[in-house]
Amino acid sequence: MGAVKSKRMPRAVREQQMLDAAVRTFGQRGYMAASMDEIAELAGVSKPLVYLYLNSKEDLFTACIRREARALTEAVRAGVRPGLAADRQLWDGLGAFFTHTGRNPDAWSVLHLQARTHGERFAAEAAAMREEIVAFVTELIVVAAREAHRDPDLAEGEVAGLAVALVGAAESLATWANATPGVTARQAAATLMNFAWAGLGNLMEGRPWSAPVMSDELSASGAVDVVHGA
Amino acid sequence: MGAVKSKRMPRAVREQQMLDAAVRTFGQRGYMAASMDEIAELAGVSKPLVYLYLNSKEDLFTACIRREARALTEAVRAGVRPGLAADRQLWDGLGAFFTHTGRNPDAWSVLHLQARTHGERFAAEAAAMREEIVAFVTELIVVAAREAHRDPDLAEGEVAGLAVALVGAAESLATWANATPGVTARQAAATLMNFAWAGLGNLMEGRPWSAPVMSDELSASGAVDVVHGA
């Protein structure tokens, strides 16, 4: 009895294993096609245990969306150091975003595609995460405007619009990068910096936004060099 | 009998009325909550006639997505005059896009939200339209690069990424504009031009991309001054 007891995993650990298996299955096969049988098998547990812990396929999917939404927003926040210049903060934030979505393509598929494709209850969960990221980007732009002493001229509505545009562009690029073999997180982040910071107009004239040199910490760690869609 | 016959509308006209009612109902109430009863009532026809013409709720929804996708891509193409400078083409295209999504908020909700939120069959229809718009924007950027004699330096992959970013930003802004009272199509287009053409960096330094003066045809017609979310 003691031996059996000592082999038991804590419920929290088991639950994370179930969520790992569920994110992978939902992300790769889609919410509708994914079965509780294959999720249980991939997690190495019985199906009744999955139902005991997570209640239903709907609740399991909701738990996946919440966990992955938190992981993504935390990854972006952790990538940004508040003391630096605004363009550097944006570059770091984009690098962290594309690195996370590139390393966790199933999670990104769950958040951006599956959560929006299978009913309004799940779509609302994904929308809450998006609002948090838009608020974060809005604050970045406000800080950048303040640095450039432009705050009285940049209306609140325009800042909100720019943040919404930037987040939409990032979501669109993350999905494209994951579906396009050989595109790295650094390339995706650089494309968006060119687009958002230097602007297409400057880019056309040969004046792209300059990425930091390779010797800085972010590049040295390889954090933004993940290959998507391999 | 002759009188009854002369009151009959051609099938094509009746079908368009059914689609008008369906787009409005699906857009405002969502695909799941919308009933065939209320669509038939709004169209002023019997429910059996809707089934006779459009077969099922799924087929009716698919027909809505196809019609509205075609209307949107045609509106954007019609807004752009190929002979003009690239930034002017982009400005015109964005004006046409935000004018169309602002004037047809139910259609935009069907295309961008409902079509992606209720199963992969519908999502594939919306994705086909998106690919067409991305291809159109890619061509615009290639032309702009050629004008600036930068084509050998702008890799195919980067152009594709910029087009994907621009389309994602536009989609995101259209949804935001429709949900935000008082935002005009012109404002949404100007925000995206600032973001995409002049770049956030220039914007922060007080160098926004300059919108054409109000006296040109687009502004004179009021085409980009539709108020969203009223």
Side-chain angles (χ1 to χ4, degrees), chain A residues 29-32 90 112-120 123 130 141-142 144-145 148-150 154 157-158 160-173 176 190-192 194-208, chain B residues 29-32 90 112-120 123 130 141-142 144-145 148-150 154 157-158 160-173 176 190-192 194-208:
Chain A
R29 293 173 52 72
Y31 175 67
M32 302 299 274
L90 183 59
H112 187 65
L113 185 62
Q114 297 300 323
R116 306 203 295 190
T117 312
H118 300 290
E120 275 136 33
R130 194 176 195 273
I141 295 175
V142 168
H149 308 294
R150 291 263 306 151
L154 207 59
E158 180 147 28
L162 290 169
V164 164
L166 182 54
V167 169
E171 290 171 337
S172 186
L173 270 175
W176 171 79
T191 294
L192 195 42
N194 274 328
F195 181 67
W197 202 267
L200 272 175
N202 280 319
L203 192 61
M204 295 306 162
E205 299 297 327
R207 296 192 302 267
Chain B
R29 293 175 50 72
Y31 175 67
M32 300 301 274
L90 183 59
H112 186 65
L113 184 61
Q114 297 299 323
R116 305 204 294 190
T117 312
H118 300 290
E120 275 136 33
R130 194 177 196 273
I141 296 174
V142 167
H149 308 296
R150 290 262 307 150
L154 207 59
E158 181 146 27
L162 290 168
V164 165
L166 182 54
V167 170
E171 291 171 336
S172 186
L173 269 174
W176 171 79
T191 295
L192 194 43
N194 273 328
F195 181 66
W197 202 269
L200 272 175
N202 281 319
L203 193 61
M204 295 306 162
E205 300 296 327
R207 296 193 302 268

Side-chain angles (χ1 to χ4, degrees), chain B:
Chain B
M1 253 179 70
V4 171
K5 209 174 178 185
S6 72
K7 273 194 177 174
R8 265 206 206 152
M9 275 183 221
R11 174 169 175 154
V13 175
R14 276 256 190 265
E15 270 192 20
Q16 291 307 311
Q17 290 177 337
M18 291 177 194
L19 290 177
D20 290 343
V23 167
R24 192 164 156 191
T25 309
F26 287 137
Q28 292 188 1
R29 293 175 50 72
Y31 175 67
M32 300 301 274
S35 80
M36 294 296 268
D37 284 295
E38 71 188 304
I39 290 169
E41 199 188 325
L42 189 61
V45 299
S46 70
K47 193 162 74 164
L49 196 65
V50 179
Y51 279 104
L52 180 69
Y53 281 10
L54 277 315
N55 194 43
S56 64
K57 187 176 176 184
E58 290 73 22
D59 285 356
L60 175 59
F61 190 49
T62 303
C64 289
I65 297 170
R66 286 189 186 157
R67 188 184 78 166
E68 298 308 332
R70 201 180 314 119
L72 177 57
T73 50
E74 279 172 8
V76 172
R77 286 184 183 280
V80 176
R81 282 155 294 176
L84 303 180
D87 65 337
R88 180 55 194 266
Q89 285 195 50
L90 183 59
W91 168 251
D92 289 344
L94 291 176
F97 176 79
F98 289 116
T99 298
H100 189 87
T101 57
R103 281 184 181 160
N104 304 279
D106 296 331
W108 179 244
S109 172
V110 163
L111 286 177
H112 186 65
L113 184 61
Q114 297 299 323
R116 305 204 294 190
T117 312
H118 300 290
E120 275 136 33
R121 174 182 161 190
F122 307 131
E125 293 283 344
M129 172 203 70
R130 194 177 196 273
E131 272 170 36
E132 198 183 325
I133 290 188
V134 168
F136 182 65
V137 172
T138 301
E139 182 57 28
L140 259 190
I141 296 174
V142 167
V143 168
R146 204 174 294 143
E147 277 179 13
H149 308 296
R150 290 262 307 150
D151 37 339
D153 297 346
L154 207 59
E156 204 178 305
E158 181 146 27
V159 172
L162 290 168
V164 165
L166 182 54
V167 170
E171 291 171 336
S172 186
L173 269 174
T175 302
W176 171 79
N178 281 357
T180 308
V183 177
T184 66
R186 166 175 274 270
Q187 284 166 347
T191 295
L192 194 43
M193 280 305 288
N194 273 328
F195 181 66
W197 202 269
L200 272 175
N202 281 319
L203 193 61
M204 295 306 162
E205 300 296 327
R207 296 193 302 268
W209 178 85
S210 301
V213 287
M214 290 299 286
S215 60
D216 65 72
E217 314 95 290
L218 194 68
S219 303
S221 72
V224 289
D225 290 308
V226 173
V227 176
H228 294 85

Side-chain angles (χ1 to χ4, degrees), chain A residues 89-113:
Chain A
Q89 283 195 51
L90 183 59
W91 169 251
D92 290 344
L94 291 176
F97 175 79
F98 289 116
T99 298
H100 189 86
T101 56
R103 282 186 180 157
N104 304 279
D106 297 330
W108 179 243
S109 173
V110 163
L111 286 177
H112 187 65
L113 185 62

Side-chain angles (χ1 to χ4, degrees), chain A:
Chain A
M1 252 178 75
V4 170
K5 209 173 179 184
S6 71
K7 273 193 175 176
R8 265 206 206 155
M9 275 183 222
R11 174 168 174 155
V13 175
R14 276 255 191 266
E15 271 191 19
Q16 290 309 310
Q17 290 177 337
M18 291 177 194
L19 289 177
D20 290 343
V23 167
R24 192 164 155 191
T25 309
F26 288 136
Q28 293 189 0
R29 293 173 52 72
Y31 175 67
M32 302 299 274
S35 78
M36 293 297 266
D37 283 293
E38 70 188 305
I39 291 169
E41 198 188 323
L42 189 60
V45 299
S46 71
K47 193 162 74 165
L49 196 67
V50 178
Y51 279 102
L52 181 70
Y53 281 10
L54 278 315
N55 194 42
S56 66
K57 188 177 174 182
E58 290 73 21
D59 285 356
L60 175 59
F61 190 48
T62 303
C64 289
I65 296 169
R66 286 189 184 156
R67 189 183 76 166
E68 297 308 330
R70 201 180 313 119
L72 177 57
T73 50
E74 279 173 7
V76 172
R77 285 185 184 280
V80 176
R81 281 155 294 175
L84 303 181
D87 65 337
R88 180 54 194 264
Q89 283 195 51
L90 183 59
W91 169 251
D92 290 344
L94 291 176
F97 175 79
F98 289 116
T99 298
H100 189 86
T101 56
R103 282 186 180 157
N104 304 279
D106 297 330
W108 179 243
S109 173
V110 163
L111 286 177
H112 187 65
L113 185 62
Q114 297 300 323
R116 306 203 295 190
T117 312
H118 300 290
E120 275 136 33
R121 172 181 162 191
F122 305 131
E125 293 282 345
M129 171 202 71
R130 194 176 195 273
E131 271 171 35
E132 197 183 325
I133 290 189
V134 168
F136 181 66
V137 172
T138 301
E139 181 57 27
L140 259 190
I141 295 175
V142 168
V143 168
R146 203 175 294 142
E147 276 178 15
H149 308 294
R150 291 263 306 151
D151 36 338
D153 298 345
L154 207 59
E156 204 178 305
E158 180 147 28
V159 172
L162 290 169
V164 164
L166 182 54
V167 169
E171 290 171 337
S172 186
L173 270 175
T175 302
W176 171 79
N178 281 357
T180 308
V183 176
T184 66
R186 166 175 276 270
Q187 283 167 347
T191 294
L192 195 42
M193 281 305 288
N194 274 328
F195 181 67
W197 202 267
L200 272 175
N202 280 319
L203 192 61
M204 295 306 162
E205 299 297 327
R207 296 192 302 267
W209 179 84
S210 301
V213 287
M214 290 299 287
S215 60
D216 66 74
E217 314 94 291
L218 194 69
S219 304
S221 73
V224 288
D225 290 309
V226 173
V227 176
H228 295 83

